[in-house]
Amino acid sequence: MKTLLVKNAYVIDPIQNISGEIMDIAVRDGKIVDDVKNPDDVIDAAGMLTLPGGIDSHTHICGTKVNFGRYMSPEDMRAGRTSRKGDMHATSGYSVPTTYGNSYRYSRMGYTTLLEGAMAPMEARHTHEEFRYTPLQDCLANTLFDGNWFALEAIENGDIKRLAGILAWYLSAAKGFGVKLTNPGGTEAWGFGEDVSCIHKPIPHFGITPREIIVKMIEANEMLNLPHSVHLHCNNLGKPGNYLCTLDTYNAIPDLNDKRQSLYSTHVQFHSYGGSSWNDFCSKAEDIAHSVNEKPQIVIDTGQVMFGKTTTMTADGPMEFNLYRLYHNKWSNHDVEMETGSGIIPVLYRKKNLVNAIMWSIGLELGLLVDDPWQCILATDNPNGAPFVKYPEVIALLMSKEYRDKEFETLHKSTGKRVALPAIERERTWDDIAVMTRAAQARALGLIDYGKGFLTEGAEADIAIYPISVDTTDPAREYERIINGFATTEYTIKRGDIVCRRGTCTLEGNHSTYWVKPHVPAAYDMSTDSEFIDGFNKYYSMRIANYPVGEEYIGRNVCMESEASL
Amino acid sequence: MMKVILEVKERHKPNLPIEAECITPKNFLDPERAFHVWKGNKELDISDVFHVRKDGNAKSAEQVEIIIRGNSANIKRVGEYMDGGKILIEGDIGMHCGNFMSAGLIEIKGNADSWLGREMNGGKIVCHGNAGDYAGSGYRGEKKGMLGGHIEIMGDAGDFAGETMAGGEIIIHGNAGDMPGVDIRDGRLTIMGDCSRPCGNMSGGECRIFGTAYDMLPTFRNEGLTSVESTPVTRFSGDYISRGLGTIYVANYKYME
C-alpha cells in the first residue's frame, strides 16, 4: 500500500473539465484515489502547473526501422551522449537515441505513454523487446496493414467481415494496438515498380484503389470495437499539390463511432502542400484545417517540422526514395514480405531553405487553424519532423505570436509569400496545450477507459508537474519560460512512483505494454481458417506457428479485449 | 622554445590501449594543467604512463615540441585537435593520431595505426613507416573525411585510405590497400605504388596512381592517354554511379578477370 499526496497543485485536466483549480491529488497503489491518510510521501506542488502525464500518439522509438536508423547514422549516436548517473544508464543518439535515451528524455518532459507509430507485424518481436527497455513509459504499437496481402485479397473480394477477422488475428498475433495504414496501396505498388498518384487509381495485382482500402479498413476496424480508430498516413506524402488528395481522402471518411473519431490522420503537415512542383510550392493548411473543422470524425496530428538534423523513417518506401533523389544522402529501403516496406534517410531541415521554411510554417498553421484542439494533436512524428525534444519549443510557438514572428524573421525571405502564418493572430491557451499534448491523445486512442489522460479518482497516477506558475507567466511574452518549463518537469510520476525529478530519472518504471485482443466468431477466426493457413504457409518464409509474439516477450502486459460485432 | 619529452614507462600489459587525447602542444602551455589519460574505464595521471620532462618556456603552441619515446604503439588519439607546434614520435603510434588537427606537424618515425589524421583540416603529418587502414578518412557514418592539410606516408597504407576525403592531400609512397579514395569528393590522393578498386562512388577530387590499379571499377570511363609529372598515365573520369565528376590518373590498370 504505497501512498503519495500531491498538495496545492495548479491542475488543468481537460477531460474532467478542470481548468486551473488548486487541488490535492491522492495516490494509492498507482491509482488516483479520493483521499489518503498519512501518506508515505508528500509533494508540495504550490505554484506549479500540474497536468496528466503526457501522451505521444505518434512517435517512432522502437523496432526494426528505428534500429536501422541507429546503425546507418553512427554520427547521430555521437551527437547526443550522456554518461551514466545514479540509476540512469549511459545514453547516446540525438534523432534516434537508444531506448533508454528515449525513455529518459521523454520522462524529463513529463511523458508517460508512447505510441510507436508503425510496427510491421512480422517484425513485432523486435519492437516488444525494445519496449521492455523503455522503462518509464507505457508503450503501444500501431500495426501496419497497408500492403497486407490477405487483407487486400479480402477487400478485393468485398468480404469486410473476413477483413475484420484478418485484422483481429494479426493484431493479437503481433500484440499490436491499432491499425496503421501507411500510403495504403502505395508501398505495395512500389513492390511492383510502380507508385500511386492519389486514391482513385487501382493498384497493380489487386485491382483495388487506395480509397477502397482506406474505407473498408475503417469499417472493419469499427466492427472489431477496438479502442483506437484507423491511424492513416495518407497517400502522396511530401509531394507538392498533395492537399487535394488529402481532401479527397477526408471526404471519403464515414462517421462510424460516436465516442471518438473514425480516422486519425497523421503528420498532416506533410499532406498540406499546394503548388505543382517545388518551384511554386506553397501552404494549403487553411484548406485542410477548414475540412477538419467540418468533420468531427477526423482527428489530425500536425507533424510539425523543426529546424536541424534528424532522421526520417517511414513505411512509405517510395516517398523515401523520392527524398533520397533530392538529397543524395544515405538511403535504406526495406521490404517486409507480404505486409509492408520501409525507407530511412537522414535529413537536415534548414531555415534558409524555402521548402523547409514553408514546411515549418504549415505545421504551425495547422496547429492554430484547427478550431477544436481536441481534433489537433501536437506531434512531430518523432523523428521525422523533428526529434521529440523540440516539443517545448513547438508549444511556445503555438502560445506566442511574438515568438513566431521572431523566428519567422530568420527564415528564407520568400517564405512570407507562400504561407499564411504571419497573418494568424491566434495564440493557444494553457487549456489548449493541455488538450493537444495529452487529453486529445487519450481520447483519440481510446485510453480514457483505461485510466489515462486525467487526474481524478480511478485514473492511473501518471502526473507531470512543471515548474511554471500559470498565474504569473504571460506565455505570449515569456516564451523562454514556457520552453524551459515544459523541457524539464519538477516531478514526473508514473503509476504513483516518482520516476523523474528535475531531469534526473530515479528508478526503473512500473511500465506496461498495451495490446488488443478482439474476439471474433469462430467463422472468422483465422487461426483455424484453412485457406488462411495454407496461404500463410505458402507465401511467408515463416510458419504460422512461429509467427505470433508470445506473451513472454512482453514484460507487464495489459490486454485490451473487445467483442467484435460481426 | 619548450621541449616536452614523454617516455613511455615499462607497462605490465603493453597491449592495453591508452587514450591520450590530452597530448597536444597547446595543452602544455598551461603550467598548472593536470594531464589525465584513460586506460579502459580507469582515469590515470599522465605520470603513471609516461616519464614527463619539460624544458624551457613557450608563449604559443608553435614553440612547443613534444617528443614521444618508447613503446607507444598502443597510445591512441595523440595530437587530437592539435592547432600548432610539433609532435615527434620516435616509435610507432596507436590509432586516431592527429584526429581533427588543424595546424602543426606530426612526425612519426615508426608505423602509424589506423585512422591516421582522420577528419583533419590542416597541418601536416609525416609517417616514415606504414600506416594502417582509413588514413585521412572520415569516421563511421561521417560524410566528410579529411578537409585540408597534408598526410605523407613513406611506407604502405592499409585499406580505405582517404575514404570520404573532402580536401587536402594524401601522398602514399608505397602501396595502398583495397578501396583507396572511396566516396572521395575533393582533394588529391596520390599513390606511388599499387592498389585495388580505387575511388568507388567518387564524386569529385583527383586520384593519381603511379603503380597498378587492380580490379579497376567498370563505372569509370577511359578518357585516353595523358601524362602527369612526365609519367604516361591513362585518365579516367567517374564514378558514373555518382555523376562522374572525379578524375583518376593511373599508370597501369587491370580489370577483374
Side-chain angles (χ1 to χ4, degrees):
Chain A
M1 296 281 271
K2 219 162 109 189
T3 53
L4 170 74
L5 184 67
V6 180
K7 286 200 309 188
N8 308 322
Y10 183 101
V11 176
I12 299 180
D13 178 357
I15 288 172
Q16 300 293 348
N17 282 322
I18 299 169
S19 170
E21 251 177 64
I22 307 293
M23 293 168 54
D24 291 351
I25 302 168
V27 178
R28 183 183 297 125
D29 293 335
K31 294 267 185 197
I32 293 181
V33 292
D34 217 17
D35 199 11
V36 287
K37 287 195 181 72
N38 304 324
D40 300 335
D41 209 349
V42 178
I43 292 173
D44 185 7
M48 288 195 243
L49 174 63
T50 303
L51 302 175
I55 301 173
D56 197 337
S57 60
H58 189 142
T59 178
H60 298 280
I61 45 157
C62 295
T64 43
K65 76 182 171 318
V66 179
N67 209 37
F68 204 93
R70 290 187 188 116
Y71 66 76
M72 84 186 265
S73 292
E75 76 280 10
D76 186 69
M77 285 289 121
R78 297 201 286 281
R81 287 191 285 201
T82 59
S83 50
R84 199 179 75 177
K85 185 180 164 193
D87 294 342
M88 291 166 79
H89 293 243
T91 71
S92 67
Y94 171 63
S95 63
V96 267
T98 55
T99 53
Y100 283 106
N102 279 319
S103 196
Y104 296 148
R105 290 171 208 179
Y106 261 122
S107 193
R108 189 188 177 115
M109 299 190 330
Y111 278 75
T112 54
T113 306
L114 304 174
L115 172 72
E116 162 57 46
M119 169 176 80
M122 190 169 158
E123 294 172 343
R125 272 186 185 80
H126 190 148
T127 310
H128 287 296
E129 281 170 338
E130 290 201 300
F131 279 172
R132 290 182 76 151
Y133 298 97
T134 307
L136 306 179
Q137 283 86 15
D138 288 340
C139 294
L140 321 96
N142 273 340
T143 314
L144 287 160
F145 284 100
D146 46 86
N148 187 297
W149 279 35
F150 299 104
L152 294 180
E153 260 164 25
I155 295 169
E156 191 184 6
N157 298 331
D159 192 346
I160 298 187
K161 290 188 174 178
R162 186 177 171 82
L163 173 63
I166 290 164
L167 295 186
W169 185 82
Y170 272 101
L171 281 170
S172 41
K175 305 284 179 281
F177 168 69
V179 174
K180 173 75 184 264
L181 300 179
T182 298
N183 187 7
T187 314
E188 186 53 33
W190 172 243
F192 288 90
E194 295 180 32
D195 201 358
V196 295
S197 54
C198 188
I199 59 170
H200 297 296
K201 202 180 134 217
I203 61 167
H205 190 76
F206 291 100
I208 48 175
T209 63
R211 185 183 188 280
E212 284 174 280
I213 299 175
I214 295 165
V215 174
K216 304 294 180 213
M217 285 280 192
I218 290 175
E219 288 172 15
N221 186 77
E222 297 307 330
M223 279 179 179
L224 294 174
N225 295 320
L226 296 176
H228 189 34
S229 65
V230 164
H231 199 107
L232 174 69
H233 155 140
C234 291
N235 301 89
N236 278 4
L237 183 143
K239 291 183 195 157
N242 65 7
Y243 81 106
L244 289 170
C245 182
T246 312
L247 291 177
D248 237 5
T249 308
Y250 287 179
N251 288 333
I253 303 303
D255 188 1
L256 297 178
N257 193 315
D258 49 12
K259 219 171 150 191
R260 54 153 171 82
Q261 77 287 351
S262 306
L263 177 79
Y264 180 107
S265 178
T266 191
H267 45 65
V268 178
Q269 180 278 128
F270 293 104
H271 302 279
S272 309
Y273 296 167
S276 56
S277 72
W278 295 114
N279 293 325
D280 58 352
F281 178 68
C282 65
S283 162
K284 288 287 178 187
E286 283 175 288
D287 300 55
I288 299 290
H290 183 66
S291 173
V292 173
N293 287 339
E294 289 194 334
K295 297 184 182 64
Q297 72 269 32
I298 295 174
V299 165
I300 65 165
D301 78 49
T302 55
Q304 178 66 40
V305 159
M306 297 294 278
F307 301 108
K309 263 190 177 176
T310 191
T311 307
T312 66
M313 50 182 69
T314 168
D316 192 345
M319 170 264 167
E320 290 283 15
F321 176 64
N322 288 333
L323 263 188
Y324 160 72
R325 287 198 297 195
L326 279 178
Y327 287 102
H328 274 283
N329 200 338
K330 293 178 265 197
W331 169 50
S332 148
N333 188 40
H334 182 63
D335 177 53
V336 183
E337 51 187 272
M338 306 286 295
E339 293 174 354
T340 180
S342 78
I344 301 152
I345 72 161
V347 298
L348 170 64
Y349 294 113
R350 291 182 300 132
K351 286 184 170 183
K352 297 297 175 198
N353 178 309
L354 181 57
V355 169
N356 295 162
I358 296 170
M359 289 163 101
W360 175 86
S361 309
I362 295 175
L364 293 174
E365 286 176 13
L366 288 168
L368 296 162
L369 292 172
V370 174
D371 290 335
D372 183 358
W374 292 92
Q375 276 184 278
C376 184
I377 282 168
L378 189 154
T380 60
D381 183 15
N382 162 65
N384 287 310
F388 61 85
V389 291
K390 298 269 190 186
Y391 282 177
E393 282 174 53
V394 182
I395 293 172
L397 287 165
L398 292 172
M399 292 185 91
S400 167
K401 164 90 172 141
E402 190 182 311
Y403 185 33
R404 286 203 294 274
D405 288 345
K406 201 179 126 221
E407 282 287 290
F408 201 83
E409 285 295 300
T410 63
L411 305 185
H412 189 284
K413 290 287 170 269
S414 304
T415 314
K417 292 184 203 126
R418 312 283 186 97
V419 302
L421 187 68
I424 301 172
E425 297 288 334
R426 186 171 189 183
E427 288 174 338
R428 288 287 186 185
T429 63
W430 297 103
D431 289 51
D432 288 352
I433 296 299
V435 174
M436 290 167 78
T437 55
R438 48 264 292 161
Q441 280 88 338
R443 190 160 90 180
L445 300 179
L447 292 177
I448 297 177
D449 295 346
Y450 293 85
K452 297 220 171 279
F454 61 103
L455 285 180
T456 49
E457 206 181 338
E460 298 258 310
D462 293 353
I463 308 168
I465 304 172
Y466 296 97
I468 305 173
S469 165
V470 174
D471 290 332
T472 59
T473 307
D474 174 11
R477 301 266 169 285
E478 294 164 288
Y479 46 82
E480 291 289 347
R481 276 169 79 174
I482 305 287
I483 297 173
N484 295 334
F486 278 110
T488 311
T489 58
E490 191 70 17
Y491 294 93
T492 303
I493 297 166
K494 174 77 202 149
R495 286 218 171 81
D497 294 327
I498 299 168
V499 291
C500 190
R501 174 89 209 271
R502 289 190 196 135
T504 305
C505 300
T506 50
L507 64 133
E508 296 273 308
N510 192 358
H511 71 300
S512 315
T513 300
Y514 285 69
W515 59 283
V516 297
K517 189 176 189 179
H519 294 285
V520 294
Y524 297 103
D525 183 358
M526 290 300 135
S527 60
T528 56
D529 185 288
S530 59
E531 195 191 329
F532 182 76
I533 296 169
D534 285 352
F536 200 105
N537 288 336
K538 205 159 145 195
Y539 296 121
Y540 268 107
S541 63
M542 199 171 173
R543 298 296 83 150
I544 194 166
N546 298 332
Y547 191 91
V549 180
E551 287 193 25
E552 67 275 14
Y553 275 87
I554 304 173
R556 219 184 85 134
N557 80 70
V558 178
C559 174
M560 309 164 99
E561 295 183 61
S562 74
E563 207 56 55
S565 27
L566 292 182
Chain B
M1 280 298 292
M2 181 195 273
K3 205 169 201 180
V4 180
I5 299 175
L6 300 170
E7 195 170 336
V8 183
K9 287 184 175 173
E10 189 75 20
R11 289 175 61 205
H12 180 54
K13 287 180 179 166
N15 290 334
L16 275 183
I18 301 277
E19 306 250 350
E21 70 271 28
C22 61
I23 302 178
T24 66
K26 187 177 72 177
N27 289 346
F28 285 94
L29 291 176
D30 179 2
E32 303 296 309
R33 192 190 151 103
F35 286 84
H36 295 286
V37 297
W38 290 85
K39 184 169 90 178
N41 59 2
K42 285 197 191 76
E43 196 172 10
L44 306 175
D45 190 78
I46 194 166
S47 60
D48 295 338
V49 182
F50 297 96
H51 295 289
V52 185
R53 216 178 80 202
K54 251 200 291 190
D55 298 322
N57 287 307
K59 288 202 170 62
S60 70
E62 276 71 38
Q63 297 172 341
V64 179
E65 185 183 356
I66 299 173
I67 298 169
I68 298 178
R69 286 190 182 138
N71 180 5
S72 54
N74 277 305
I75 313 282
K76 295 197 213 169
R77 295 168 70 188
V78 169
E80 184 166 296
Y81 290 106
M82 171 169 170
D83 58 358
K86 189 177 171 192
I87 299 179
L88 175 68
I89 296 151
E90 297 194 340
D92 299 345
I93 193 67
M95 289 199 274
H96 298 281
C97 177
N99 272 353
F100 312 109
M101 76 184 273
S102 55
L105 171 68
I106 297 180
E107 196 174 344
I108 302 157
K109 297 283 188 194
N111 301 324
D113 208 334
S114 300
W115 308 102
L116 178 66
R118 102 158 136 103
E119 293 168 48
M120 72 189 276
N121 57 37
K124 187 168 180 178
I125 298 178
V126 179
C127 173
H128 293 275
N130 302 326
D133 300 335
Y134 296 102
S137 80
Y139 203 48
R140 308 271 187 226
E142 216 59 67
K143 281 176 292 183
K144 286 183 182 167
M146 179 175 180
L147 290 162
H150 196 95
I151 298 179
E152 196 160 355
I153 297 164
M154 301 303 176
D156 298 340
D159 299 337
F160 301 101
E163 186 200 41
T164 63
M165 185 176 177
E169 180 163 25
I170 301 177
I171 300 171
I172 299 164
H173 289 272
N175 300 325
D178 198 19
M179 297 179 108
V182 62
D183 273 311
I184 176 172
R185 55 171 68 195
D186 205 351
R188 186 201 272 174
L189 172 63
T190 304
I191 300 164
M192 307 307 268
D194 305 339
C195 67
S196 59
R197 296 194 289 176
C199 297
N201 205 25
M202 178 180 211
S203 59
E206 186 184 308
C207 177
R208 307 191 296 184
I209 300 160
F210 294 106
T212 305
Y214 293 98
D215 295 346
M216 187 73 198
L217 296 170
T219 48
F220 285 81
R221 184 187 293 156
N222 188 331
E223 308 276 9
L225 287 170
T226 176
S227 72
V228 169
E229 288 170 8
S230 65
T231 308
V233 292
T234 311
R235 188 166 88 89
F236 282 89
S237 66
D239 184 334
Y240 281 91
I241 271 171
S242 181
R243 299 180 220 180
L245 300 176
T247 311
I248 307 182
Y249 299 103
V250 50
N252 299 298
Y253 60 93
K254 281 206 171 97
Y255 286 104
M256 193 184 273
E257 300 277 301

